[in-house]
Amino acid sequence: NAGVMQNPRHLVRRRGQEARLRCSPMKGHSHVYWYRQLPEEGLKFMVYLQKENIIDESGMPKERFSAEFPKEGPSILRIQQVVRGDSAAYFCASSPPVQGNTEAFFGQGTRLTVV
Amino acid sequence: SQKIEQNSEALNIQEGKTATLTCNYTNYSPAYLQWYRQDPGRGPVFLLLIRENEKEKRKERLKVTFDTTLKQSLFHITASQPADSATYLCALGPNSGYSTLTFGKGTMLLVSP
């Protein structure tokens, strides 16, 4: 059973370009979470999605950031018009469709560098 | 606002000793607390979960305590090994039961042979 798969592992974008980060959850998991880790900072929750639905986006910046988890295919975190401050490691986590304090399984992250 | 504090300075201990890491929080009433391990360039790996009505949890060489009055969790690794060297993250979970976690910045543990 493959773990949470994120790609690409490293992504370099120039200021103003778009960044697309992909996350395939573990098999059987229908809940996906995105976190951002800035240098010297802790992981910050961004958004929680279930299939085709955004459940909680309280951690998402109001502009330029969007996320989706379509019925088929991976979850996508999209950052439009990237700026240097977007440089960070972005982690995706998944959990099974069971409510009740379950652990989150994290991917290896995508390291975004904006130049 | 919610605040989670973990020792920012690295903890250096000798192999075989017990490592104790601290997690303190304010302005939060978590339903559960989790500890993760993170190695450089990797994603966090789940270690232990303890619920608000539990005082202590054990798993092999790991032990976690949770004091909701003190708003503190202690994470112990007994008989530490150099392979235990990593950053350890404390995370608080909400009453919703989903994994929208609030993380501390982590404490780096260095175990020397």
Side-chain angles (χ1 to χ4, degrees):
Chain A
N1 185 11
V4 176
M5 303 300 292
Q6 289 189 248
N7 66 82
R9 289 294 307 277
H10 300 275
L11 181 62
V12 179
R13 284 287 177 266
R14 295 186 183 279
R15 281 178 294 171
Q17 290 185 319
E18 177 180 288
R20 280 183 177 245
L21 288 61
R22 295 175 184 76
C23 169
S24 296
M26 286 183 69
K27 187 176 181 180
H29 287 192
S30 57
H31 298 188
V32 166
Y33 310 81
W34 285 94
Y35 289 82
R36 176 165 65 174
Q37 189 171 39
L38 292 164
E40 308 303 323
E41 294 289 325
L43 284 153
K44 301 290 187 190
F45 166 74
M46 298 180 74
V47 62
Y48 161 42
L49 310 103
Q50 295 179 15
K51 281 287 187 180
E52 300 185 277
N53 288 305
I54 295 175
I55 307 302
D56 182 349
E57 56 181 347
S58 58
M60 284 278 271
K62 294 288 186 284
E63 298 176 348
R64 302 186 298 107
F65 285 72
S66 62
E68 62 177 10
F69 189 18
K71 187 176 180 181
E72 301 292 336
S75 175
I76 306 287
L77 179 67
R78 183 182 176 206
I79 311 172
Q80 295 178 289
Q81 299 175 327
V82 296
V83 301
R84 288 229 170 99
D86 297 332
S87 296
Y90 292 82
F91 290 96
C92 167
S94 72
S95 66
V98 174
Q99 187 176 3
N101 309 342
T102 57
E103 67 183 271
F105 295 82
F106 281 81
Q108 301 296 1
T110 293
R111 276 142 192 88
L112 171 66
T113 303
V114 180
V115 297
Chain B
S1 62
Q2 299 167 1
K3 193 174 180 182
I4 302 176
E5 289 187 350
Q6 295 186 253
N7 289 350
S8 56
E9 291 185 11
L11 177 63
N12 288 275
I13 64 168
Q14 273 196 311
E15 183 175 10
K17 302 290 186 186
T18 296
T20 298
L21 306 176
T22 305
C23 173
N24 295 295
Y25 61 92
T26 55
N27 298 325
Y28 202 104
S29 294
Y32 61 95
L33 184 147
Q34 298 181 351
W35 283 88
Y36 287 79
R37 169 183 173 141
Q38 187 173 25
D39 291 283
R42 309 293 292 249
V45 175
F46 171 80
L47 296 175
L48 278 170
L49 178 152
I50 186 166
R51 294 178 173 79
E52 59 178 335
N53 60 348
E54 297 175 318
K55 295 293 185 187
E56 183 179 299
K57 213 63 169 300
R58 290 174 186 261
K59 179 182 176 183
E60 297 174 353
R61 295 185 295 111
L62 309 180
K63 184 178 87 170
V64 172
T65 63
F66 192 13
D67 189 326
T68 55
T69 301
L70 289 178
K71 294 186 183 293
Q72 180 182 78
S73 174
L74 298 178
F75 177 76
H76 306 271
I77 305 176
T78 58
S80 59
Q81 306 165 359
D84 295 326
S85 298
T87 295
Y88 290 86
L89 309 175
C90 166
L92 304 181
N95 289 311
S96 66
Y98 294 117
S99 298
T100 52
L101 302 169
T102 301
F103 279 88
K105 291 184 182 181
T107 298
M108 184 182 294
L109 172 66
L110 299 170
V111 182
S112 53

